[in-house]
Amino acid sequence: MTYISKLNNAVNTLEAIYTLFDTVMAAFPVACAKQCADCCTCNVTATGLEIAYIHDRLDGRALDDIRVLLARAGQTRRFRPFQTTNGLALACMEGRDADEEENDPSWGTCPLLENGICTIYPVRPLGCRVMMSTIPCRQTGQADMPFPALTIITVFMQFVEHLDAGGVYGNFLDLLEHAGEDVLDCNGLPGKNKIPGAAQNLKIPALMIPPEHIEKTQNLVQSLGALIRV
Ligand code: SF4
Ligand code: SF4
């Protein structure tokens, strides 16, 4: 049985989390618009399960198109995180400093972007969905994200990682090159050894919610907990 077939339920749960995320984030006014895509860089991160989701939901022709786009892009410099979101939460709990990681948008545009449009938009990973700004990024050179939105995004990142605990976390494009392969399951570490810079997803050690947002995020945390049954 492949990693993907083992994870059918998890893939469906992931889709439910994406739907909930899109619903919750619709409450925030954003400047984001079609063909505004400065945030579409080669530095997006994802979990192995999110790649399994893409592989499951797209047909063979769409997957072939992705392979062509990835091959055309070649191996450029990319952000390769060695700490996951839950790894950061764990470090905070243990009083350790967060790892310093280099991430530069000038390393390149996401190869899945064509004419300013994402070619896999309905199945894009959470790392893409969380890109939002109240002011067009082009005006200021960076995203302007309201503090409550940042908290909600962090909570979703933690739950999506928890859902794939033991699996691979890494650069989205690196992982996508292995779509359909068992290496995305790093229980036993095959993925971690084969994919450059891949980290391992962890369970939630504690949610990173500032005290002033605890009450307002209570229902959301309960909904997410019910979805992944924690
Ligand atoms: S996050 Fe910034 S670059 Fe991306 S769509 Fe929104 S405004 Fe545009
Ligand atoms: S996958 Fe789509 S949304 Fe994500 S960075 Fe690439 S083009 Fe943008």
Side-chain angles (χ1 to χ4, degrees):
M1 189 184 277
T2 66
Y3 177 58
I4 290 161
S5 55
K6 273 191 287 180
L7 289 182
N8 260 343
N9 285 341
V11 159
N12 290 335
T13 303
L14 179 65
E15 188 166 63
I17 293 176
Y18 284 161
T19 302
L20 181 60
F21 179 78
D22 293 343
T23 304
V24 171
M25 294 307 284
F28 294 95
V30 291
C32 306
K34 210 170 185 179
Q35 290 189 308
C36 180
D38 287 8
C39 54
C40 289
T41 72
C42 59
N43 298 327
V44 170
T45 58
T47 65
L49 179 63
E50 293 184 283
I51 307 303
Y53 170 72
I54 291 170
H55 191 268
D56 186 75
R57 293 299 193 260
L58 296 184
D59 62 22
R61 181 181 289 190
L63 291 169
D64 283 346
D65 289 346
I66 288 176
R67 284 184 201 105
V68 170
L69 292 172
L70 289 175
R72 202 183 290 160
Q75 275 292 334
T76 52
R77 188 172 182 191
R78 297 166 180 170
F79 173 54
R80 294 187 165 127
F82 39 80
Q83 188 163 55
T84 67
T85 312
N86 288 334
L88 174 63
L90 190 61
C92 292
M93 279 177 72
E94 294 173 348
R96 288 183 280 119
D97 289 334
D99 293 334
E100 294 259 338
E101 302 196 69
E102 206 186 346
N103 186 347
D104 189 335
S106 72
W107 289 340
T109 302
C110 175
L112 304 186
L113 188 73
E114 284 199 311
N115 303 318
I117 306 272
C118 174
T119 50
I120 61 154
Y121 192 77
V123 294
R124 69 202 187 290
L126 187 65
C128 303
R129 290 168 199 260
V130 300
M131 303 292 184
M132 58 91 77
S133 180
T134 58
I135 302 169
C137 297
R138 197 158 284 189
Q139 276 180 23
T140 58
Q142 59 186 21
D144 180 80
M145 208 177 275
F147 188 31
L150 189 58
T151 297
I152 289 170
I153 285 169
T154 304
V155 167
F156 271 92
M157 296 285 289
Q158 289 196 259
F159 273 92
V160 164
E161 179 181 342
H162 183 105
L163 183 64
D164 193 25
V168 168
Y169 176 77
N171 178 282
F172 170 53
L173 302 173
D174 286 341
L175 267 54
L176 196 58
E177 283 167 4
H178 295 275
E181 297 177 20
D182 280 351
V183 292
L184 294 173
D185 178 4
C186 74
N187 288 307
L189 301 184
K192 221 169 131 26
N193 293 338
K194 270 198 176 176
I195 299 174
Q200 191 161 18
N201 292 317
L202 301 176
K203 291 191 172 182
I204 297 169
L207 288 168
M208 293 191 283
I209 303 176
E212 62 268 41
H213 293 163
I214 287 177
E215 204 180 320
K216 281 196 173 155
T217 50
Q218 217 169 21
N219 289 344
L220 174 63
V221 169
Q222 275 174 6
S223 301
L224 284 165
L227 277 176
I228 69 169
R229 296 182 195 94
V230 290

